[in-house]
Short mmCIF file of all heavy atoms in Angstrom, two decimals:
data_model
loop_
_atom_site.label_atom_id
_atom_site.label_comp_id
_atom_site.label_asym_id
_atom_site.label_seq_id
_atom_site.Cartn_x
_atom_site.Cartn_y
_atom_site.Cartn_z
N GLU A 1093 8.04 19.50 3.12
CA GLU A 1093 8.53 18.79 4.04
C GLU A 1093 9.69 17.76 3.49
O GLU A 1093 9.38 17.29 2.39
CB GLU A 1093 7.59 18.02 4.85
CG GLU A 1093 6.56 18.91 5.45
CD GLU A 1093 6.93 19.13 6.88
OE1 GLU A 1093 7.79 18.48 7.45
OE2 GLU A 1093 6.40 20.12 7.52
N PHE A 1095 11.22 14.04 3.53
CA PHE A 1095 10.86 12.81 3.81
C PHE A 1095 12.10 12.08 4.58
O PHE A 1095 12.96 11.46 4.09
CB PHE A 1095 10.50 11.80 2.61
CG PHE A 1095 9.20 12.35 1.94
CD1 PHE A 1095 9.27 13.33 1.00
CD2 PHE A 1095 8.05 11.81 2.40
CE1 PHE A 1095 8.09 13.63 0.39
CE2 PHE A 1095 6.86 12.22 1.83
CZ PHE A 1095 6.96 13.15 0.87
N ALA A 1101 7.68 0.13 11.42
CA ALA A 1101 6.96 -0.65 12.50
C ALA A 1101 6.52 -1.91 11.81
O ALA A 1101 5.94 -1.83 10.82
CB ALA A 1101 5.96 0.21 13.07
N PRO A 1102 6.62 -2.95 12.61
CA PRO A 1102 6.04 -4.27 11.98
C PRO A 1102 4.50 -4.16 11.88
O PRO A 1102 3.89 -3.61 12.70
CB PRO A 1102 6.37 -5.36 12.97
CG PRO A 1102 6.61 -4.62 14.25
CD PRO A 1102 7.13 -3.20 13.83
N PHE A 1113 1.40 -2.29 -6.27
CA PHE A 1113 1.32 -1.06 -7.12
C PHE A 1113 0.62 -1.50 -8.40
O PHE A 1113 0.94 -2.56 -8.94
CB PHE A 1113 2.76 -0.60 -7.37
CG PHE A 1113 3.46 -0.14 -6.26
CD1 PHE A 1113 4.26 -1.03 -5.43
CD2 PHE A 1113 3.53 1.16 -5.90
CE1 PHE A 1113 4.86 -0.69 -4.25
CE2 PHE A 1113 4.24 1.61 -4.72
CZ PHE A 1113 4.86 0.72 -3.97
N ARG A 1115 -0.91 -0.11 -12.47
CA ARG A 1115 -1.02 1.04 -13.50
C ARG A 1115 -2.24 0.59 -14.20
O ARG A 1115 -2.48 -0.50 -14.76
CB ARG A 1115 0.13 0.95 -14.44
CG ARG A 1115 0.10 1.90 -15.57
CD ARG A 1115 1.33 1.87 -16.45
NE ARG A 1115 2.42 2.39 -15.67
CZ ARG A 1115 3.60 1.74 -15.61
NH1 ARG A 1115 3.87 0.59 -16.24
NH2 ARG A 1115 4.59 2.29 -14.87
N ASP A 1120 -0.46 5.72 -17.50
CA ASP A 1120 -0.54 6.07 -16.22
C ASP A 1120 0.77 5.73 -15.41
O ASP A 1120 1.44 4.71 -15.72
CB ASP A 1120 -1.74 5.43 -15.49
CG ASP A 1120 -2.99 5.92 -15.94
OD1 ASP A 1120 -3.10 7.00 -16.67
OD2 ASP A 1120 -3.99 5.16 -15.63
N ALA A 1123 0.76 3.28 -9.12
CA ALA A 1123 0.19 3.86 -7.95
C ALA A 1123 0.06 2.76 -6.95
O ALA A 1123 -0.36 1.63 -7.24
CB ALA A 1123 -1.30 4.43 -8.29
N HIS A 1124 0.49 3.07 -5.60
CA HIS A 1124 0.28 2.09 -4.58
C HIS A 1124 -1.11 2.03 -4.19
O HIS A 1124 -1.83 3.04 -3.97
CB HIS A 1124 1.12 2.74 -3.32
CG HIS A 1124 1.02 1.70 -2.23
ND1 HIS A 1124 0.24 1.95 -1.12
CD2 HIS A 1124 1.72 0.58 -1.95
CE1 HIS A 1124 0.44 0.98 -0.26
NE2 HIS A 1124 1.33 0.09 -0.79
N SER A 1127 -1.71 -3.49 0.20
CA SER A 1127 -0.78 -4.57 0.42
C SER A 1127 -1.58 -5.93 0.71
O SER A 1127 -2.75 -5.80 1.02
CB SER A 1127 0.10 -4.22 1.64
OG SER A 1127 -0.67 -3.99 2.77
N ALA A 1130 1.16 -12.85 2.21
CA ALA A 1130 1.25 -14.06 1.57
C ALA A 1130 2.60 -14.67 1.76
O ALA A 1130 3.56 -14.02 1.79
CB ALA A 1130 0.96 -14.02 -0.02
N ALA A 1136 0.93 -14.13 -3.44
CA ALA A 1136 0.67 -12.62 -3.38
C ALA A 1136 0.22 -12.04 -4.66
O ALA A 1136 -0.70 -11.27 -4.59
CB ALA A 1136 1.98 -11.93 -2.96
N ALA A 1140 -3.23 -10.14 -5.05
CA ALA A 1140 -3.26 -8.85 -5.46
C ALA A 1140 -4.09 -8.71 -6.73
O ALA A 1140 -4.86 -7.73 -6.90
CB ALA A 1140 -1.78 -8.30 -5.75
N ALA A 1141 -3.96 -9.71 -7.64
CA ALA A 1141 -4.75 -9.60 -8.84
C ALA A 1141 -6.22 -9.73 -8.57
O ALA A 1141 -7.00 -9.00 -9.17
CB ALA A 1141 -4.38 -10.85 -9.73
N GLY A 1145 -6.42 -6.06 -9.32
CA GLY A 1145 -6.04 -6.13 -10.79
C GLY A 1145 -7.12 -6.05 -11.73
O GLY A 1145 -6.91 -6.32 -12.90
N VAL A 1149 -3.40 -2.74 -15.98
CA VAL A 1149 -2.70 -3.23 -17.10
C VAL A 1149 -1.23 -3.74 -16.68
O VAL A 1149 -0.60 -4.61 -17.29
CB VAL A 1149 -2.48 -2.37 -18.27
CG1 VAL A 1149 -3.87 -2.04 -18.87
CG2 VAL A 1149 -1.75 -0.96 -17.89
N THR A 1150 -0.90 -3.25 -15.50
CA THR A 1150 0.43 -3.67 -14.85
C THR A 1150 0.24 -3.79 -13.38
O THR A 1150 -0.51 -3.02 -12.73
CB THR A 1150 1.47 -2.49 -15.09
OG1 THR A 1150 1.64 -2.29 -16.43
CG2 THR A 1150 2.87 -2.88 -14.49
N PRO A 1155 8.29 -6.80 -1.80
CA PRO A 1155 8.32 -7.29 -0.46
C PRO A 1155 8.35 -6.14 0.57
O PRO A 1155 9.25 -5.28 0.45
CB PRO A 1155 9.56 -8.17 -0.34
CG PRO A 1155 9.96 -8.40 -1.79
CD PRO A 1155 9.44 -7.31 -2.53
N ALA A 1156 7.42 -6.01 1.43
CA ALA A 1156 7.34 -4.82 2.38
C ALA A 1156 8.60 -4.87 3.31
O ALA A 1156 9.09 -3.68 3.65
CB ALA A 1156 6.12 -5.06 3.24
N THR A 1179 -5.78 8.30 11.94
CA THR A 1179 -6.02 6.88 12.03
C THR A 1179 -7.47 6.64 11.32
O THR A 1179 -8.37 7.27 11.67
CB THR A 1179 -5.99 6.39 13.43
OG1 THR A 1179 -4.77 6.74 13.99
CG2 THR A 1179 -6.24 4.96 13.47
N MET A 1180 -7.52 5.70 10.44
CA MET A 1180 -8.73 5.27 9.91
C MET A 1180 -9.46 4.34 10.75
O MET A 1180 -8.90 3.53 11.44
CB MET A 1180 -8.42 4.63 8.53
CG MET A 1180 -8.04 5.41 7.38
SD MET A 1180 -8.06 4.40 5.92
CE MET A 1180 -7.75 5.67 4.67
N VAL A 1182 -12.07 0.95 11.14
CA VAL A 1182 -12.21 -0.25 10.35
C VAL A 1182 -13.07 -0.09 9.14
O VAL A 1182 -12.81 -0.63 7.97
CB VAL A 1182 -12.70 -1.35 11.28
CG1 VAL A 1182 -13.01 -2.58 10.49
CG2 VAL A 1182 -11.72 -1.59 12.42
N GLU A 1193 -13.77 -3.15 -5.96
CA GLU A 1193 -14.83 -4.14 -6.22
C GLU A 1193 -16.22 -3.70 -6.31
O GLU A 1193 -17.11 -4.43 -6.64
CB GLU A 1193 -14.74 -5.15 -4.91
CG GLU A 1193 -13.42 -5.85 -4.84
CD GLU A 1193 -13.46 -6.88 -3.68
OE1 GLU A 1193 -14.54 -7.14 -3.02
OE2 GLU A 1193 -12.44 -7.43 -3.44
#
Side-chain angles (χ1 to χ4, degrees):
E1093 298 268 346
F1095 289 92
F1113 298 82
R1115 178 177 292 130
D1120 291 345
H1124 182 260
S1127 60
V1149 297
T1150 302
T1179 305
M1180 284 186 173
V1182 172
E1193 295 184 8

